[in-house]
Amino acid sequence: AVVSTQSTGVHLPAEDLDLACMVGNGVDLTVQPYTLCGIIHHHGGYGGGHYTAHTRDGDHWRHYNDETVSPREPHLMSPTGTPPESDSDARSAYVLLYRREP
């Protein structure tokens, strides 16, 4: 069997993620929306690769690559609101971290 990774883009908002449609009965659906606050990226294939990350503090984003930390906003959306086909930030997002807004 051949094992490989997928790089299919997933369309999720950076602001106001509403999880009401994903919770079961009896759960309070008046919870506040969620905001993207971190991204873990995987670059490479199934057998190996490299991890980088983005974190958000207020309106400021930082990019972490081994010992290098630099201010850089992730490039997740094109002007039309969809992940750009050629952008590695959008294609390499492995884990998205959301924070519930108060």
Side-chain angles (χ1 to χ4, degrees):
V2 175
V3 178
S4 64
T5 60
Q6 292 188 10
S7 60
T8 304
V10 176
H11 303 276
L12 291 172
E15 306 281 336
D16 299 327
L17 176 66
D18 182 3
L19 297 176
C21 65
M22 297 180 189
V23 295
N25 291 334
V27 176
D28 182 8
L29 298 180
T30 61
V31 296
Q32 275 61 25
Y34 290 77
T35 299
L36 184 66
C37 63
I39 306 165
I40 300 170
H41 302 276
H42 180 258
H43 309 274
Y46 178 75
H50 180 70
Y51 290 92
T52 61
H54 280 92
T55 62
R56 181 183 196 175
D57 183 16
D59 291 332
H60 304 284
W61 285 91
R62 290 181 184 84
H63 181 251
Y64 299 83
N65 187 356
D66 292 334
E67 70 277 354
T68 304
V69 178
S70 57
R72 182 168 79 80
E73 189 168 329
H75 300 115
L76 297 177
M77 297 294 171
S78 70
T80 61
T82 60
E85 291 298 320
S86 62
D87 196 316
S88 64
D89 285 346
R91 294 288 171 198
S92 66
Y94 183 64
V95 176
L96 302 176
L97 305 166
Y98 281 87
R99 172 182 56 232
R100 186 171 64 174
E101 294 303 316

